[in-house]
Structures are given as C-alpha cells and as structure tokens.
C-alpha cells in the first residue's frame, strides 16, 4: 500500500480508538529514557572559567569549561556538604567548591582537599561525572549508563554548517510534559490555532510510516486564504517565485524530532528544523525545548540577513501560540490527575506508543537518581556498580 492509499484508508475508516486504554500506562507518567544524548545548554552560555547550572529530569548538573576549552559536566553538589558546585570556581581543568575549596576533576573525582591531614577520615571519591559533547552550538550530556555513551551517536544534522543554510537557534522553557511537544509538532491539524499568523492553511496527510522507534508523516500544505504574515512567506522561500503548496515531512525518531519543508517545485527544503525536548524537573512536567532552524540561503545575496529579524519574530509568535496550547494541556492533566485525552488521529496514537515504549517510568527513575549516583557506588542499569 502506498502512502497515499494508506492515508485515504485511514480517513475513510472509522477509528477503533474511542479513548485512553486503562490498561496502558499514562504517557504523562513516562519519563525520557536517559540513555541518549540530550542538549542541556547553549555552548555560548558555558563561558571560560564560569560555571552554569542546568538540569535533566530533576538531576542537577554543573557545567564548566576548563582552561583547555573542554566542557565538563558534574553532579551539582559537593560531596562534602552538598553545596551546589555551580556556585564554585574554575581553576584550570578543575572545579573548586566555593565553601571549603574541595577541588574536582572533570570526571567528578576529588583532586584536592586543602586542609586534609594524615589520620583524617577517608574522604569520598567524588561526585558523578557525566559524559559530555559539544556539537551544533549545543552542550550535550549523557544522563544514563555512561558505558553506553560512546556507542550512542549524536543526532546527524547535515544541513548544520552547510554553506547552503544558515541556522537560527532556540532554547525555551515550556511548562509541560515533553510528549505534548512531540504531539503538537507531528499533528498539523491544529493550524486553526495559527490562523492569525499564517492565514487559512489546509493540511492534507499524504501518508505516514511508523515502527518501534519512529513515526514519520508527510503533509501537503495549501494556503486557502486569509492574511498571511510576510515572514511566513520569506521562511517558505516564496520570495524566489515558488508556489503556495508545500510538502512538510515531520519525524519523531526517539528522542528527537525533525521537520523539513519543501516548497512547490523546489529541489531541497526551504528550511529544516531539529528539536529536542529535555525534561527539567523530576516529575517531568516542565521541559526545555532546544531547536535548530536551518534556513536555505536565497540566490539574492544579503536577502536572508535582512529578513532574519522578521523570520525570528514570526517563529517566536508561532511558538508562543503552541506553548499556550501545550501548557493548557498540562494544566488539564494536573487538574484531573490523569490523562483523559480522547484522541482519534491514528498518527498521534502511534507516536504516543513510540514515546511510551521507549521511555522509562518517571517515579522509578526519579527515586533512583535521588538516592544514589554511580560515583558513590550506585547500581548501574545492568546491576553492576559504578566507581567505588
């Protein structure tokens, strides 16, 4: 069956789903799986000899850039009195606690306790050090089993750094479970929300494919009337004389999301979006949305530079409307104490299953992180222990 045939069949057949299945785990209680690389900060915010406090699902992480330029990520607590290391001082490649000057290497081990004397009680080895990488102007950490970090690839973004594209970077806090963000971008039937910005858009689902780890959908967008923000046209490269029908491909490939928009008669995407939604609090009801919007450079030199602030304003307005909607969804969940969604769109039912089966229970994960850490001899996911 072709994508078009499948989409037609989905539209013609009544949905078998009439509401949430009580036997299924509530997706809003499923946490992001830690065995992936997650962005936690913009690289430019981790300055030399400065420390930046950040979080992943309730785990407080201190980022610091050593004298060599390398970024390190440590559990944000001193093993001595639990004072946040993000309050500390960078010295070369070490981070020194501001309180009693205990010094930590980039791997979290203690390198010096200034006043320690022979006969004093043996100090702890240190705190947890996270695998960390920099790419695409972002700092990524691996909050899961550190032994899996080397074999786990970073996202592949060929358009980033390409001479054909210029990248606009986003980092915004959204007060909702990360799954609401995946659903919002993948389900393009909510264009009524943006009618004041993009006019009347008709999204036609051309088809979609799903497997255990991903869902990819293709839409045909047609502008059917109404006032359209000029920046929307610039972003879709209409200034190059292209048509008004765009093909948009959106993909959730756990745990990331991408969107490509190809204007009518174009050979390549007018823009490509990569996004990650990183839970901040232990209950994962707030996330940090990181986005890289890679916009194709037009043939006219300087045109994109002139349009840049207008495109930024347009995208911020669309994002603000989406944030309003997903935060309202989260408030409803909080008030009801459960997920009472009655979803009828098969595409979203499939992406929910991908997020559910690839995630981890929130409560179990939060409890494990709160009690121990690998540097203190905590059990790793396979039952062995970390550094002792």
């Amino acid at each position: 069956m072709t994508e078009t045939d499948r989409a037609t069949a989905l539209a013609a057949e009544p949905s078998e789903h009439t509401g949430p299945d009580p036997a299924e785990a509530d997706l809003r209680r499923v946490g992001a799986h830690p065995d992936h690389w997650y962005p936690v900060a913009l690289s430019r915010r981790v300055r030399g000899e400065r420390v930046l406090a950040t979080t992943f699902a309730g785990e407080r992480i201190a980022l610091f850039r050593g004298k060599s330029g390398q970024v390190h990520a440590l559990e944000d607590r001193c093993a001595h009195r639990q004072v946040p290391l993000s309050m500390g001082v960078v010295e070369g490649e070490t981070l020194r606690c501001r309180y009693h000057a205990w010094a930590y290497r980039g791997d979290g081990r203690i390198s010096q306790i200034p006043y320690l004397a022979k006969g004093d009680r043996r100090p702890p080895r240190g705190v947890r050090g996270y695998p960390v990488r920099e790419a695409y102007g972002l700092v990524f950490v691996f909050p899961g089993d550190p032994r899996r970090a080397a074999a786990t690839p970073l996202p592949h973004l060929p358009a980033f750094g390409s001479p054909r594209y210029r990248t606009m970077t986003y980092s915004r806090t959204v007060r909702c479970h990360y799954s609401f963000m995946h659903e919002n971008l993948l389900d393009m039937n909510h264009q009524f929300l943006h009618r004041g910005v993009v006019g009347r858009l008709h999204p036609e689902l051309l088809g979609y494919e799903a497997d255990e780890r991903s869902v990819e959908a293709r839409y045909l967008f047609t502008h059917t009337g109404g006032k359209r923000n000029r920046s929307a046209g610039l972003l879709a490269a209409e200034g190059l004389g292209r048509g008004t029908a765009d093909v948009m491909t959106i993909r959730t490939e756990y745990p990331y999301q991408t969107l490509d928009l190809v204007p009518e008669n174009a050979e390549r995407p007018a823009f490509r979006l990569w996004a990650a939604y990183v839970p901040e609090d232990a209950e994962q009801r707030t996330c940090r949305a990181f986005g890289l919007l890679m916009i194709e450079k037009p043939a006219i030199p300087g045109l994109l530079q002139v349009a840049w602030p207008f495109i930024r304003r347009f995208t911020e307005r669309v994002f603000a409307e989406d944030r309003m909607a997903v935060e309202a969804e989260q408030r409803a969940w909080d008030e009801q104490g459960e997920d009472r969604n009655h979803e009828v769109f098969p595409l979203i039912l499939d992406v929910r299953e991908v997020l559910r089966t690839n995630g981890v229970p929130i409560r179990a994960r939060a409890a494990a992180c709160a009690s121990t850490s690998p540097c203190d001899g905590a059990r790793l996911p396979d039952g062995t222990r970390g550094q002792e």
Side-chain angles (χ1 to χ4, degrees), residues 103-121:
Y104 296 83
R105 300 187 182 97
D107 62 1
R109 290 183 177 270
I110 295 172
S111 65
Q112 184 195 32
I113 299 176
Y115 53 86
L116 188 66
K118 290 183 179 180
D120 288 349
R121 184 176 179 179

Side-chain angles (χ1 to χ4, degrees), residues 20-197:
D21 184 349
E24 294 181 344
D26 188 335
L27 176 57
R28 320 311 171 184
R29 300 185 190 277
V30 174
H33 200 296
D35 285 343
H36 296 274
W37 290 99
Y38 289 93
V40 292
L42 304 179
S43 286
R44 65 175 179 265
R45 293 199 61 204
V46 188
R47 302 172 183 173
E49 301 183 351
R50 299 287 294 275
V51 192
L52 180 68
T54 186
T55 59
F56 174 84
E59 298 180 36
R60 294 189 294 115
I61 302 172
L63 302 176
F64 74 97
R65 190 181 298 277
K67 186 176 181 181
S68 67
Q70 182 178 354
V71 175
H72 306 284
L74 303 182
E75 185 179 0
D76 194 6
R77 67 172 185 89
C78 180
H80 179 211
R81 298 284 188 87
Q82 315 304 305
V83 172
L85 289 176
S86 56
M87 297 169 57
V89 178
V90 178
E91 294 181 355
E93 296 301 315
T94 64
L95 177 58
R96 194 176 291 277
C97 178
R98 184 176 293 274
Y99 195 13
H100 288 83
W102 287 30
Y104 296 83
R105 300 187 182 97
D107 62 1
R109 290 183 177 270
I110 295 172
S111 65
Q112 184 195 32
I113 299 176
Y115 53 86
L116 188 66
K118 290 183 179 180
D120 288 349
R121 184 176 179 179
R122 182 181 176 182
R125 287 290 182 93
V127 297
R128 181 179 181 182
Y130 294 84
V132 59
R133 295 184 187 177
E134 280 192 273
Y136 314 122
L138 302 172
V139 177
F140 290 80
V141 299
F142 195 89
D145 185 343
R147 296 170 300 182
R148 297 176 180 170
T152 304
L154 286 170
H156 180 55
L157 306 178
F160 187 94
S162 166
R164 293 184 179 275
Y165 291 86
R166 182 181 174 186
T167 301
M168 187 176 288
T169 303
Y170 299 86
S171 174
R172 297 287 184 273
T173 295
V174 187
R175 293 178 176 84
C176 74
H177 188 265
Y178 63 90
S179 61
F180 289 117
M181 298 295 291
H182 279 273
E183 294 176 19
N184 171 265
L185 189 62
L186 198 59
D187 186 355
M188 282 292 156
N189 295 309
H190 73 273
Q191 295 310 307
F192 184 77
L193 176 68
H194 304 304
R195 63 194 183 281
V197 184

